[in-house]
């Protein structure tokens, strides 16, 4: 009997807590989720939204990606907390550095994926994470990048020029009602990257609340085109239920006026 896939559904996969070690001496906490019993077709390295205002490795789109895509799309999903960021997984060492020191965090994640011999590494940035991808993600080991709600806040024209020269695929998923950059302006800004694809998502907003499934479909369409989309909304097999209550008082992303409290933490061990 098929069971509906809900926000808290965890489909089968191999999941392990990991640590990343940066070139400037910090330890970052994260998780690697892989398909159960088979080699992944590709790998997503997730770069989360602004940590000072709720962004973290458990921001809802990335949590759903890790809980669903190993089973539904044969993808490995690596997500982690950038320096100073907290989630239920724990707190990464260091402190938020306005997209400067975070260059070492991005490098550490890519290096970890390389060391683990994970195939076809794609960066998936969301909001602040898109700036990290644009500034620091055009690495020889990276196949391409997908940007969710890119504000182009920290990144500069020179960063876009690097991607343009690389020829690597770059897709921006831009909500129709985004708070910072909407589709028409995004097309103008990303025109500097000839191979960039800007996809306007009707009715969506910056936080993708209610639109996570659309985002996951668009990611899979580009990263593992052998998988049919839209992805299934039911699952015929074992399924666990995750606890999402820890984030009831926390936004999933954004540049809010005041910081928000984090969930109760467990040690980063």
């Amino acid at each position: 009997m098929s069971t509906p896939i809900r926000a808290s559904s965890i489909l089968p996969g191999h999941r392990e807590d990991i640590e990343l070690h940066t070139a400037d001496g910090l330890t970052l906490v994260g998780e690697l989720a892989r398909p159960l019993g088979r080699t992944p077709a590709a790998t997503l390295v997730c770069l989360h939204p602004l940590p000072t205002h709720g962004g973290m490795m458990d921001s809802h789109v990335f949590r759903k990606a890790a809980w669903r895509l190993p089973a539904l799309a044969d993808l490995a999903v690596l997500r982690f907390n950038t320096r100073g960021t907290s989630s239920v997984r724990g707190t990464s060492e260091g402190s938020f550095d306005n997209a400067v020191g975070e260059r070492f965090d991005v490098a550490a994640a890519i290096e970890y994926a390389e060391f683990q011999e994970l195939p076809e590494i794609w960066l998936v940035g969301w909001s602040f994470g898109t700036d990290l991808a644009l500034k620091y993600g055009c690495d020889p080991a990276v196949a391409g990048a997908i940007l969710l709600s890119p504000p182009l806040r920290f990144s500069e024209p020179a960063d876009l020029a690097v991607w343009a020269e690389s020829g690597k695929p770059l897709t921006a998923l831009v909500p129709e009602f985004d708070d910072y950059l909407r589709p028409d302006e995004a097309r103008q800004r990303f025109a500097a990257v000839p191979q960039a694809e800007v996809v306007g998502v009707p009715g969506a907003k910056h936080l993708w609340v209610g639109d996570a499934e659309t985002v996951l479909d668009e990611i899979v369409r580009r990263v593992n085109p052998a998988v049919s989309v839209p992805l299934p909304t039911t699952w015929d097999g074992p399924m666990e239920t995750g606890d999402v209550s820890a984030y009831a008082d926390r936004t999933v992303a954004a540049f809010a006026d005041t910081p928000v409290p984090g969930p109760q933490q467990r040690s980063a061990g």
Side-chain angles (χ1 to χ4, degrees), residues 69-247:
L69 297 187
L72 295 180
D74 285 333
L75 298 182
V77 180
L78 191 163
R79 56 198 176 111
F80 67 101
N81 286 329
T82 56
R83 55 190 58 212
T85 302
S86 297
S87 71
V88 169
R89 166 70 180 92
T91 302
S92 290
E93 293 179 348
S95 58
F96 176 67
D97 198 27
N98 289 287
V100 178
E102 283 83 1
R103 69 181 304 155
F104 299 115
D105 304 354
V106 176
I110 295 170
E111 289 168 4
Y112 185 93
E114 282 189 283
F115 184 77
Q116 294 294 319
E117 299 183 339
L118 295 171
E120 196 74 5
I121 301 167
W122 284 73
L123 301 181
V124 181
W126 179 4
S127 195
F128 173 69
T130 67
D131 283 312
L132 298 185
L134 290 170
K135 291 178 73 65
Y136 309 125
C138 197
D139 184 277
V142 170
I146 298 173
L147 312 177
L148 314 179
S149 306
L152 296 178
R153 185 188 192 204
F154 293 93
S155 48
E156 301 173 352
D159 302 314
L160 295 178
V162 171
W163 279 92
E165 184 177 353
S166 76
K168 294 176 184 288
L170 186 68
T171 298
L173 301 183
V174 182
E176 179 183 8
F177 300 118
D178 194 86
D179 298 301
Y180 309 101
L181 186 70
R182 296 192 176 185
D184 287 344
E185 183 184 355
R187 292 186 182 98
Q188 296 175 12
R189 301 281 296 276
F190 280 102
V193 184
Q195 74 275 20
E197 176 189 20
V198 176
V199 180
V201 181
K205 297 183 179 179
H206 190 77
L207 306 185
W208 300 106
V209 174
D211 289 293
E213 287 70 24
T214 298
V215 172
L216 298 183
D217 286 346
E218 294 298 328
I219 290 172
V220 171
R221 190 192 308 276
R222 288 155 183 83
V223 175
N224 189 6
V227 174
S228 297
V229 293
L231 295 170
T233 57
T234 61
W235 179 256
D236 186 10
M239 178 191 297
E240 298 180 10
T241 300
D243 180 10
V244 298
S245 64
Y247 303 114

Side-chain angles (χ1 to χ4, degrees), residues 41-66:
T43 305
L44 307 180
V45 173
C46 301
L47 305 174
H48 61 67
L50 195 67
T52 53
H53 299 86
M56 56 180 164
M57 62 178 276
D58 271 346
S59 291
H60 77 102
V61 173
F62 290 161
R63 184 175 68 235
K64 291 167 184 172

